[in-house]
Amino acid sequence: MAKVKTVYICQSCGGTSAKWQGQCPSCQAWNTLEEGLPETTSNARFQGLAQSLPRQKLSAITAEDLPRFSTGVEEFDRVLGGGLVPGGVVLLGGDPGIGKSTLLLQALAEMSTAGMNVLYSSGEESAAQIALRAKRIALDAPQLEVLAEIQLEKLISIMDTVKPQVLVVDSIQTLYSEVLSSAPGSVAQVRECAAQLTRAAKSSGICVLMVGHVTKDGHLAGPRVLEHIVDTVLYFEGDTHSSFRLVRSIKNRFGAVNELGVFAMTEKGLRGVTNPSAIFLSQHEQMVPGACVLVTQEGSRPLLVEIQALVDTAHVPNPRRLAVGLEQARLAMLLAVLHRHAGVACFDQDVFLNAVGGVKISEPAADLAVLLAIQSSIRNRALPKELIVFGEVGLAGEIRPCPRGQERLKEAAKLGFTVAIIPKANMPKTKIPGLKVIPVERIDQAIAAAAELS
């Protein structure tokens, strides 16, 4: 009997090699080659999604807004851009146990109660386990249909027969196709199953929501093509030890990216948080040294987040720089700007930064709040409790404007803040009732204005 020939497949990009190597020859990733069987597939398994159309001029095409339907979960609809789109494919990723299956089960229960035809397909849990979870979170969804299936061809056949409006696949890593010889969860299987489900969704108008596992680095397991072929990519964020969960939109063809949904994990499942700024603000009655409130923009929603800084004398030759929820590299740059243009030296100090509530802030509008929090910690004098700050700091010490400054100020005024230090270019044309705005152009001006208030 002839020996079965094997190849080594990269778990990052799907490239193959005839022999094992420490580095993948295709994507240059290390220690990603695993032994497997070569794929034997048919070239006739893909078909066009529609009949061939003649060429058209862009101006002659009628553009209409896509119809949407609500999931019944307000925060989930916000992240999706207003709801689900027929024929859309959504990929939801996150750490194990963070609440992906619970959120989708709740959304399907709400949609089934509203009279929609929905189907929950699970390859990780049996139907009895799903029913037990629904009972545990007190879901009342007598019309919700559940399926335990891991074979792709059977699932697509059921889609063609039942024709649900919404299909949940939990998870894409458990599905396998008979046309491939590799095991479920491999790069080839994940890519093939996602492509076939996307094709079926586009041709039938069924909205498909897929759950994806994540790697140790927090990225979706499998090749990046998994994110490219779907319409929307959502990530669960937050610590599993905390009761709050954040769902962030990384990619959305039907809405805004970086949209944020905030949920609280309760005994009845995930519940949307109507005022998320309350989570990210401090709980103490009076402001403490090293704390500064930032107005950040997450998608279309302004959020108020408290930035905390702790500056202490370093007892080692190399002072430590640690940032939680903020960019580590940007902290070193801001400390250099603070020294050069404001005369505040931290070369012999340990500097620790934290964004309260576990939120991750990547926009440069947090620069000014970070520097004022550091200055407050150094002087050991608290900033006013009613003060909010935002602004980007350049290497020359200038304060640059931030997008949607008017919306940030209105949100702060609505929550009771009375003083704002902002870039001069973001100065509102009309006065906002109850809010005193202090425009600044340079970092030294901002520090001086904060010192007068404290």
Side-chain angles (χ1 to χ4, degrees):
M1 182 176 179
K3 182 180 178 180
V4 178
K5 184 178 180 181
T6 61
V7 295
Y8 291 87
I9 306 171
C10 176
Q11 301 303 301
S12 178
C13 69
T16 60
S17 174
K19 61 180 181 179
W20 186 87
Q21 302 178 58
Q23 187 179 32
C24 172
S26 301
C27 66
Q28 311 303 319
W30 288 93
N31 301 321
T32 57
L33 292 178
E34 294 185 6
E35 188 175 11
L37 297 175
E39 304 299 341
T40 56
T41 61
S42 170
N43 293 328
R45 69 187 189 281
F46 291 107
Q47 298 176 1
L49 300 181
Q51 298 293 332
S52 298
L53 295 175
R55 293 177 298 171
Q56 301 181 63
K57 291 185 178 180
L58 183 62
S59 58
I61 301 174
T62 303
E64 298 178 354
D65 291 335
L66 294 171
R68 294 178 182 268
F69 47 86
S70 174
T71 63
V73 182
E74 185 178 353
E75 286 294 305
F76 197 31
D77 286 341
R78 171 188 286 274
V79 180
L80 291 169
L84 295 171
V85 176
V89 182
V90 180
L91 180 62
L92 179 62
D95 295 330
I98 202 167
K100 302 184 295 296
S101 302
T102 301
L103 176 61
L104 294 179
L105 189 62
Q106 288 181 226
L108 287 192
E110 293 288 342
M111 287 185 280
S112 66
T113 305
M116 295 182 61
N117 182 16
V118 297
L119 177 62
Y120 186 95
S121 175
S122 176
E124 299 182 347
E125 297 176 297
S126 65
Q129 288 175 310
I130 298 173
L132 183 62
R133 174 190 292 153
K135 181 180 179 181
R136 187 171 64 248
I137 61 178
L139 279 184
D140 184 19
Q143 302 300 321
L144 176 58
E145 295 184 346
V146 177
L147 171 69
E149 183 57 64
I150 62 173
Q151 186 176 342
L152 176 67
E153 286 74 19
K154 289 183 179 179
L155 180 58
I156 292 180
S157 176
I158 293 172
M159 288 174 59
D160 296 336
T161 304
V162 179
K163 296 188 182 302
Q165 293 174 273
V166 181
L167 169 68
V168 168
V169 179
D170 187 10
S171 65
I172 188 64
Q173 273 83 6
T174 60
L175 278 184
Y176 77 94
S177 175
E178 288 185 336
V179 299
L180 298 178
S181 57
S182 55
S186 63
V187 172
Q189 286 284 8
V190 170
R191 182 167 46 193
E192 174 75 9
C193 293
Q196 291 284 10
L197 283 174
T198 302
R199 172 192 169 277
K202 300 299 182 185
S203 60
S204 62
I206 298 173
C207 180
V208 176
L209 294 94
M210 300 185 296
V211 175
H213 294 170
V214 296
T215 62
K216 295 178 181 178
D217 298 331
H219 302 295
L220 284 165
R224 298 292 290 187
V225 70
L226 190 62
E227 297 185 14
H228 297 324
I229 64 177
V230 301
D231 299 312
T232 306
V233 180
L234 308 179
Y235 274 95
F236 256 96
E237 295 179 0
D239 190 356
T240 54
H241 302 290
S242 172
S243 61
F244 296 107
R245 304 286 188 270
L246 309 177
V247 181
R248 189 185 299 273
S249 173
I250 303 300
K251 170 189 176 183
N252 195 347
R253 290 173 178 161
F254 307 120
V257 295
N258 286 329
E259 198 69 59
L260 191 70
V262 185
F263 297 88
M265 179 64 79
T266 66
E267 294 180 355
K268 303 295 184 181
L270 289 166
R271 294 290 181 264
V273 178
T274 55
N275 183 21
S277 294
I279 302 173
F280 309 122
L281 294 178
S282 62
Q283 303 298 323
H284 39 256
E285 295 182 358
Q286 298 294 330
M287 290 294 285
V288 295
C292 182
V293 179
L294 159 74
V295 187
T296 184
Q297 190 79 22
E298 294 290 345
S300 60
R301 164 187 278 172
L303 285 179
L304 274 73
V305 181
E306 180 177 314
I307 303 298
Q308 295 181 340
L310 176 61
V311 181
D312 193 19
T313 303
H315 299 286
V316 292
N318 296 321
R320 288 173 291 179
R321 307 283 187 256
L322 180 62
V324 179
L326 297 151
E327 293 184 10
Q328 187 96 6
R330 199 163 186 87
L331 173 58
M333 183 194 76
L334 291 175
L335 291 176
V337 173
L338 187 65
H339 182 208
R340 180 64 180 270
H341 298 285
V344 179
C346 296
F347 58 86
D348 58 346
Q349 306 284 322
D350 291 330
V351 180
F352 304 95
L353 276 182
N354 179 41
V356 173
V359 67
K360 295 180 181 178
I361 302 173
S362 57
E363 69 162 349
D367 292 350
L368 186 56
V370 167
L371 291 183
L372 292 185
I374 292 173
Q375 173 70 359
S376 172
S377 179
I378 292 174
R379 295 173 62 241
N380 198 28
R381 295 188 63 179
L383 296 171
K385 189 176 182 180
E386 62 276 3
L387 172 67
I388 61 102
V389 174
F390 65 85
E392 179 184 355
V393 178
L395 289 178
E398 76 279 12
I399 309 297
R400 296 177 175 271
C402 301
R404 299 189 178 183
Q406 190 87 358
E407 296 179 15
R408 299 176 196 244
L409 293 175
K410 289 181 179 179
E411 179 71 13
K414 185 173 68 175
L415 293 176
F417 288 84
T418 59
V419 184
I421 298 178
I422 65 171
K424 187 175 182 180
N426 281 125
M427 188 69 181
K429 296 180 180 179
T430 58
K431 185 178 180 180
I432 299 177
L435 185 65
K436 176 185 177 182
V437 178
I438 302 175
V440 293
E441 294 181 303
R442 309 265 319 160
I443 181 60
D444 52 348
Q445 296 176 7
I447 291 177
E452 291 179 3
L453 295 173
S454 60

